[in-house]
Amino acid sequence: MATLSRRRVIQLAGGFALTGVAGRWLTLPEAWAEPVGAPADELSDFLEISRKLTQRDELDEHLAGALVLASTLALEGFGERLARLKALFDQRPALLERSPLAFGDDFTDQETTARQVLGGWYTGVVGSGEQAIYVTYLNALANRLVADKLVPPSFSYGPCGSWRHAP
């Protein structure tokens, strides 16, 4: 397995950000097009868990790969924590039916991991503080959810502050 540097993940994240700005997938440079670092079983587990948490079947596998790589760098022990979360969901699928997402005192580590996975998908950022890695913006689920109303998402049309006044 190839070792992946923080610089490489930032390059990959930059590539995803650029493709998001274009609004569609562009052809990535050859060096980025090859799969790197994330083991297939870890990516598969990440996608399975992500589909359960987001309740969406149509998650982008390329973005999932970037999120796994960023999570591995930004979040200590991410692979092991992801495996424990998968095992918990396999044993107790009813945990996903709770609203808000709460697993109880016995499973705080798994709940934290689930929130980090969701945070990566919805904000496009993995980790926090100096360990945070920006993966995507437009392809983040939070922005895709509002894409039919705000294009590009979260930008104001008109002079600064015009959003304050009723249309």
Side-chain angles (χ1 to χ4, degrees):
M1 179 173 78
T3 302
L4 194 64
S5 68
R6 188 182 230 21
R7 172 180 243 155
R8 178 75 166 150
V9 169
I10 291 171
Q11 287 175 338
L12 285 169
F16 281 104
L18 288 174
T19 59
V21 170
R24 60 184 172 88
W25 287 106
L26 302 175
T27 304
L28 296 175
E30 296 258 340
W32 293 3
E34 299 172 13
V36 290
D41 57 337
E42 189 172 271
L43 179 59
S44 175
D45 289 349
F46 182 80
L47 274 167
E48 179 184 336
I49 289 167
S50 296
R51 287 181 178 123
K52 289 177 181 178
L53 287 170
T54 63
Q55 298 178 353
R56 296 178 172 273
D57 291 330
E58 71 289 343
L59 296 175
D60 187 293
E61 291 184 26
H62 296 287
L63 181 54
L67 288 169
V68 169
L69 294 175
S71 297
T72 301
L73 289 174
L75 307 172
E76 188 175 328
F78 180 73
E80 295 82 23
R81 292 171 54 206
L82 187 68
R84 285 194 300 272
L85 180 59
K86 182 182 183 308
L88 179 63
F89 285 166
D90 290 345
Q91 293 170 358
R92 298 181 182 204
L95 287 174
L96 292 166
E97 297 171 10
R98 293 184 183 178
S99 181
L101 186 64
F103 296 168
D105 292 338
D106 295 336
F107 306 107
T108 55
D109 185 48
Q110 289 92 335
E111 182 179 330
T112 299
T113 304
R115 290 179 185 277
Q116 289 168 333
V117 169
L118 280 170
W121 280 107
Y122 277 91
T123 66
V125 177
V126 174
S128 61
E130 289 186 19
Q131 296 298 317
I133 298 175
Y134 173 85
V135 179
T136 187
Y137 176 70
L138 289 182
N139 291 321
L141 289 181
N143 288 329
R144 294 184 67 190
L145 289 173
V146 298
D148 62 331
K149 304 282 188 239
L150 301 173
V151 180
S154 78
F155 285 84
S156 175
Y157 295 107
C160 186
S162 64
W163 54 269
R164 294 186 292 209
H165 305 290

